[in-house]
Amino acid sequence: MDKLKQLFENIFFEDKPVKLIFSSKRRKSLEYSKVTIKPISSKDEPLYQAEYTFEKKVTHTNFPATAGAEFCLALIENDFKQANIFTNTRDIQILASKPENPKISENSATMTCQNFNHNRVKNYIIPDGVPCDFLIRLGVMDSSGKVFQKHYGKFRQINRYLEIVDDVFPYLSGKRMDSEKPLRIIDFGCGKAYLTFAIYHYLKIIKGLKVEIIGLDLKSDVINFCNQVASDLGYGELKFLRGDIADYTNDYADMVVTLHACDTATDYALINAVAWNTKVILSVPCCQHELFKQIKNSIHQPMLKHGILKDRLTEYLTDGLRGLKLESKGYDVSMIEFTSLEHTARNIMIKAVKRFDADGTRAAKAQKQYEELRDFYQVNPTIDVL
């Protein structure tokens, strides 16, 4: 192992690695199939991020360059038999069925990192290292603005979410910029409200808009906590209410957010949003169980007899029908991937923006497609109320 240890030390302290990929599991019981390591940078010292690839998720951990050799040595010794390493000066392959006697080959560099000390964090809407009041209050970062390592996944998730909000921002700002009415956002099923606070921070503090943001959830303790945090931070235009999505009434909303509203709760949120002629809808459904007992199709029956396949098909069918129904009501709809660490590894986000359809042809086409798909599978989804 001394040979490998020396090699990894040279890689991290002399070669400046661009990417390291560990594969070929030593044992079938290992839960992750691959580990990919890439450089990231902080203000203090170069860091590396290891991405663990599982069957249905990926996880990440960061470590300093000083720990790189030991970290990689442990991966080769305990988890993987192969490593492919790309540096600024050379490519290296390690075949280590027997770690004490590895086969090492080298070739010319095929990958380069022009700026090894790049700082990805600087591109975040909420940067690491800059104090952010709600993230401090919610325990994501310390008072100096440094994100706690155990909450870095949440920090990235919040910033990814704000990137999506930033993408639809032009559709929001144009409507309310010159109006006395505040920009109203309703977050159905807000939970602990990390993302609700993030929307407020982005629209009110960063963009300087007049806003009114409402978070709705069924749990009294969560609502009380969120209201206390909002009060402590002086977020006067942010409030949290206890209530059921299906029963909530209002007169308008410029944006409706629903993240992980369970099963048909997502449908009721979408139904409300359309009734209010909401400009932007961001919805991450979960627990799509409604159609599981309804779906019937003789062509697909050989597949539907397998519960796990039936469950996944009805999940995609549910969200596909939701998207078509929104299109039939005048929305441009896109399905994008949104990562959530608390509920599941990955989710589909339905992003819908209200558009102008002068003659109604696009809406009529979507409605026809919706009906054909619905009837093909003999289902009657709640979203049909629209």
Side-chain angles (χ1 to χ4, degrees):
M1 296 296 286
D2 289 342
K3 186 177 181 181
L4 285 178
K5 181 179 180 182
Q6 184 62 53
L7 175 63
F8 284 126
E9 287 179 350
N10 291 341
I11 287 169
F12 279 93
F13 293 105
E14 297 178 11
D15 290 346
K16 295 182 179 179
V18 179
K19 181 187 288 188
L20 302 90
I21 302 172
F22 293 82
S23 58
S24 186
K25 298 192 295 185
R26 289 196 177 279
R27 58 189 187 281
K28 292 182 179 180
S29 60
L30 189 67
E31 294 183 356
Y32 42 90
S33 61
K34 180 176 68 173
V35 174
T36 303
I37 297 174
K38 295 180 181 180
I40 59 176
S41 185
S42 70
K43 295 178 180 179
D44 302 320
E45 63 176 326
L47 294 176
Y48 291 84
Q49 182 175 90
E51 179 180 275
Y52 293 78
T53 301
F54 293 78
E55 181 180 359
K56 295 183 179 181
K57 66 177 181 178
V58 295
T59 63
H60 300 86
T61 185
N62 295 348
F63 58 87
T66 53
E70 182 179 350
F71 189 92
C72 292
L73 198 61
L75 286 175
I76 282 289
E77 186 176 13
N78 302 320
D79 295 340
F80 298 103
K81 295 183 285 186
Q82 179 172 330
N84 292 88
I85 302 164
F86 306 89
T87 78
N88 276 326
T89 58
R90 54 180 172 160
D91 289 357
I92 305 166
Q93 183 181 65
I94 300 172
L95 300 176
S97 295
K98 297 179 179 179
E100 66 278 4
N101 186 29
K103 295 180 180 180
I104 302 172
S105 59
E106 296 187 17
N107 287 295
S108 300
T110 58
M111 299 178 66
T112 60
C113 183
Q114 297 297 326
N115 182 13
F116 176 74
N117 288 321
H118 70 289
N119 189 343
R120 295 181 182 179
V121 177
K122 69 182 179 183
N123 295 320
Y124 286 155
I125 291 175
I126 300 177
D128 189 359
V130 178
C132 176
D133 57 359
F134 83 91
L135 289 180
I136 295 171
R137 183 65 174 77
L138 294 176
V140 176
M141 60 171 53
D142 63 24
S143 58
S144 70
K146 183 175 177 60
V147 176
F148 293 113
Q149 183 59 46
K150 65 179 180 179
H151 293 308
Y152 216 91
K154 173 59 69 176
F155 175 74
R156 287 194 302 270
Q157 181 204 46
I158 290 169
N159 273 287
R160 171 58 183 146
Y161 180 66
L162 290 182
E163 288 173 1
I164 297 170
V165 175
D166 185 68
D167 185 53
V168 300
F169 177 72
Y171 302 99
L172 296 171
S173 58
K175 183 176 181 182
R176 293 293 181 202
M177 192 65 75
D178 300 321
S179 173
E180 290 301 317
K181 276 189 173 183
L183 192 68
R184 179 179 288 172
I185 293 92
I186 300 177
D187 186 349
F188 286 115
C190 62
K192 294 180 180 178
Y194 291 95
L195 303 183
T196 322
F197 282 102
I199 293 177
Y200 183 94
H201 179 87
Y202 173 79
L203 294 174
K204 176 69 176 179
I205 298 174
I206 295 178
K207 294 297 185 180
L209 296 181
K210 293 178 289 185
V211 298
E212 177 184 315
I213 300 178
I214 300 167
L216 188 74
D217 202 273
L218 287 171
K219 298 178 182 178
S220 298
D221 56 338
V222 169
I223 293 301
N224 293 336
F225 171 78
C226 292
N227 275 322
Q228 185 61 57
V229 173
S231 176
D232 292 345
L233 297 176
Y235 286 10
E237 298 85 3
L238 173 60
K239 60 182 178 180
F240 297 88
L241 305 174
R242 183 184 180 281
D244 192 304
I245 294 173
D247 299 328
Y248 185 79
T249 58
N250 213 319
D251 55 348
Y252 82 90
D254 296 292
M255 181 165 75
V256 164
V257 177
T258 165
L259 301 181
H260 303 103
C262 190
D263 203 17
T264 57
T266 292
D267 298 293
Y268 290 115
L270 298 179
I271 290 167
N272 277 333
V274 173
W276 299 327
N277 201 33
T278 297
K279 188 65 177 175
V280 174
I281 301 170
L282 300 178
S283 176
V284 180
C286 79
C287 307
Q288 297 95 323
H289 298 316
E290 182 186 28
L291 304 188
F292 187 86
K293 294 182 179 180
Q294 297 182 19
I295 189 170
K296 295 178 182 178
N297 186 281
S298 57
I299 296 175
H300 288 167
Q301 186 53 41
M303 179 175 64
L304 295 175
K305 68 181 181 181
H306 301 289
I308 187 171
L309 298 181
K310 183 179 179 181
D311 185 59
R312 292 183 182 179
L313 176 61
T314 53
E315 176 182 327
Y316 293 133
L317 177 62
T318 300
D319 291 338
L321 288 169
R322 286 165 172 164
L324 284 170
K325 199 62 174 176
L326 288 172
E327 288 180 3
S328 77
K329 296 302 178 180
Y331 285 85
D332 278 325
V333 175
S334 57
M335 303 280 178
I336 61 177
E337 187 175 79
F338 179 71
T339 302
S340 172
L341 303 177
E342 293 182 338
H343 299 268
T344 187
R346 281 183 171 83
N347 284 114
I348 291 174
M349 171 180 278
I350 302 173
K351 183 175 74 172
V353 177
K354 191 75 174 183
R355 58 171 162 76
F356 178 69
D357 185 9
D359 57 9
T361 54
R362 293 176 65 184
K365 180 181 178 181
Q367 178 62 25
K368 183 174 184 296
Q369 292 173 331
Y370 171 85
E371 292 172 358
E372 290 174 346
L373 189 61
R374 177 199 62 191
D375 296 344
F376 181 74
Y377 286 106
Q378 302 181 55
V379 294
N380 183 31
T382 297
I383 198 65
D384 204 39
V385 174
L386 278 176

